[in-house]
Amino acid sequence: QVQLVQSGAEVKKPGASVKVSCKASGYTLNIHGITWVRQAPGQGLEWMAWISAYNGNTNYAQRFRGRVTMTTDTSTSTAYMELRSLRSDDTAVYYCARATSHALDIWGQGTMVTVSS
Amino acid sequence: EIVLTQSPATLSLSPGERATLSCRASQSVAGYLAWYQQKPGQAPRLLIYDASNRATGIPARFSGSGSGTDFTLTISSLEPEDLAVYYCHQRSDWPETFGQGTKVEIK
């Protein structure tokens, strides 16, 4: 079936970087985009960025511009999101989601990233 | 950016009752609005896309309506498993944004 499987939990120190992977199965990655959304503990959903897996076009929320890089590898059907210069308020669950022309219809299970000294 | 304001913050209802959740946009999003359900400890799940279309496998008790700036998600007869936080999401303009969520509690 169509699913997105994300990499496991990470613990990082302030100032470090983290790279989260999102492997697609059951469909061809480059047909749709991938959106990244995060959720801080006890908080709501925050839209971070989108990448077209077809041509690599991207769009970012202003607060993440310059600190986030998204890539896709169609040979392995995997999308990646790297967040740099981590701060304690980056502690959150990070989700990837398939972005069709209508909505975010398939979500990964989430990756917990903890930033702590 | 387009701000989505959801109300109420919390809705406490008994099984079988009708739940009405609101999402208001700071400017028109046409029909480019979706609703998601997030149960405790789970990833969000798509319920409604393009304001009024149920996603695959979503029960008929869930319905969406609205256009422009005012949208509604209705659960016609609440079930115990509908305990969740519900988010609206606009894809009309960059950056995409989410509402802050409405928590549905079951009495």
Side-chain angles (χ1 to χ4, degrees), chain A residues 20-98:
Chain A
V20 178
S21 69
C22 171
K23 184 172 176 61
S25 61
Y27 80 101
T28 302
L29 182 68
N30 62 5
I31 290 178
H32 299 294
I34 292 287
T35 289
W36 292 88
V37 175
R38 77 177 186 180
Q39 186 170 38
Q43 303 301 308
L45 303 174
E46 180 177 24
W47 188 89
M48 296 178 66
W50 165 88
I51 183 168
S52 165
Y54 175 70
N55 59 17
N57 286 349
T58 56
N59 222 300
Y60 298 89
Q62 179 65 39
R63 64 179 297 184
F64 297 106
R65 204 159 294 176
R67 212 159 62 92
V68 168
T69 300
M70 295 177 295
T71 54
T72 59
D73 181 344
T74 54
S75 69
T76 60
S77 294
T78 304
Y80 299 90
M81 186 280 298
E82 181 180 35
L83 182 61
R84 298 177 293 280
S85 302
L86 289 168
R87 308 183 289 253
S88 58
D89 63 357
D90 291 318
T91 294
V93 176
Y94 290 77
Y95 294 102
C96 62
R98 187 173 80 167

